Amino acid sequence: NAGRGSVFNAEGQQEMDASIMCGKTLAAGAVAGIHNVKNPIRLAHKVLAHSDHVLLAGEGAIQFAKQHDITFEENEYFYNKYRFEQWKKLQGSTKSQLDHSEEKDKYFGTVGAVALDQNGHLAAGTSTGGMTNKKFGRIGDSPIIGAGNYANDKTCAVSCTGTGEYFMRGVTAYDVSCLMEYKGLSLVEAAKQAIQKLTQLGGQGGLIALDAQGNIAMPLNCPGMYRGFRQGDGRGFVGIFGEEK
């Protein structure tokens, strides 16, 4: 549910969000409510690299994209039959739908990535199309630094997916970092506690997290979340359901 493959909003269009953050400098870039941008995460990086701002939204973000050689595509490029049929079931209603509550084999949610390089620097990126049939220019947690995305070399890099309103209320991505920095928790325990708080708030989803020592955490409180990792020595893991890791 990002870029091509994003869900349809109430008007039958794609409104996409993305953010990216550098753990070394705490520099960040984000875009929200954009349309027709082929790769929203590339635009978020342009904001990080070529703007004094962190978050650009709507038509202003589109104007910025046109000044920085970002690739645009026509509406047909973003069309996806599965996504269209998803939307048609909700069209005209007041309901919106999160991917994580879909049928058992279709957990195509927000796309996130966290990385640790050979110099010990962390980074996090998150990109999403949001919720099916969303209205009123709704923005979720994905472009909000500290809510759905965060990176700090002192602690960890985090990318979240799920019910964005609750990740924003819980400041979930930053919560993981705070629990490590100020309470001295391990990455795994901090991530677990952050998801426990999300559950208490009533939210559903999960996160992927990585610390400066290469430790990995991928907790979730929903039926499924596509997730995986690859380490420098070639070891890897892929999971969909439950708590395989």
Side-chain angles (χ1 to χ4, degrees):
N1 180 19
R4 188 179 197 180
S6 290
V7 298
F8 287 80
N9 67 8
E11 281 72 48
Q13 301 172 331
Q14 283 77 27
E15 276 184 332
M16 300 171 287
D17 312 321
S19 64
I20 190 166
M21 187 167 184
C22 171
K24 178 182 178 181
T25 64
L26 302 188
V31 291
I34 61 171
H35 56 84
N36 296 103
V37 172
K38 183 178 182 180
N39 303 111
I41 194 70
R42 291 185 180 273
L43 179 53
H45 185 263
K46 291 289 187 181
V47 175
L48 183 156
H50 302 291
S51 172
D52 294 329
H53 306 305
V54 170
L55 174 61
L56 300 181
E59 290 306 316
I62 297 299
Q63 291 177 28
F64 180 85
K66 291 176 179 177
Q67 294 175 11
H68 290 85
D69 300 320
I70 290 294
T71 302
F72 286 79
E73 296 289 351
E74 297 297 325
N75 291 338
E76 290 75 19
Y77 172 85
F78 295 93
Y79 177 86
N80 176 281
K81 183 179 179 181
Y82 169 70
R83 291 302 192 191
F84 184 74
E85 291 175 352
Q86 246 186 342
W87 172 58
K88 293 298 287 185
K89 293 176 183 178
L90 299 176
Q91 186 182 14
S93 74
T94 59
K95 295 180 180 180
S96 57
Q97 181 174 278
L98 181 72
D99 265 0
H100 301 72
S101 61
E102 259 297 282
E103 59 263 32
K104 190 176 178 182
D105 60 341
K106 300 286 186 182
Y107 297 112
F108 300 137
T110 294
V111 177
V114 292
L116 171 67
D117 73 13
Q118 61 185 354
N119 296 313
H121 301 310
L122 291 163
T126 309
S127 183
T128 191
M131 301 178 80
T132 301
N133 205 44
K134 62 184 179 181
K135 301 174 180 63
F136 311 119
R138 179 263 186 189
I139 303 297
D141 64 304
S142 294
I144 308 300
I145 301 302
N149 193 71
Y150 190 74
N152 187 334
D153 281 3
K154 293 180 180 179
T155 53
C156 59
V158 182
S159 181
C160 303
T161 179
T163 321
E165 283 71 14
Y166 294 94
F167 282 88
M168 287 188 278
R169 294 171 191 173
V171 200
T172 303
Y174 186 54
D175 202 28
V176 178
S177 178
C178 281
L179 288 166
M180 294 178 68
E181 184 172 3
Y182 301 121
K183 204 172 181 181
L185 298 186
S186 68
L187 174 76
V188 172
E189 186 58 33
K192 181 180 178 181
Q193 286 197 20
I195 291 298
Q196 287 175 344
K197 180 193 290 187
L198 179 76
T199 303
Q200 292 167 0
L201 289 170
Q204 187 180 53
L207 61 83
I208 56 173
L210 177 66
D211 70 14
Q213 287 71 49
N215 297 305
I216 297 164
M218 298 185 289
L220 61 150
N221 70 354
C222 54
M225 177 180 76
Y226 285 128
R227 60 202 185 279
F229 66 76
R230 176 68 65 184
Q231 296 174 313
D233 60 6
R235 288 185 295 172
F237 165 84
V238 173
I240 301 175
F241 306 111
E243 287 287 353
E244 293 103 323
K245 176 168 176 65

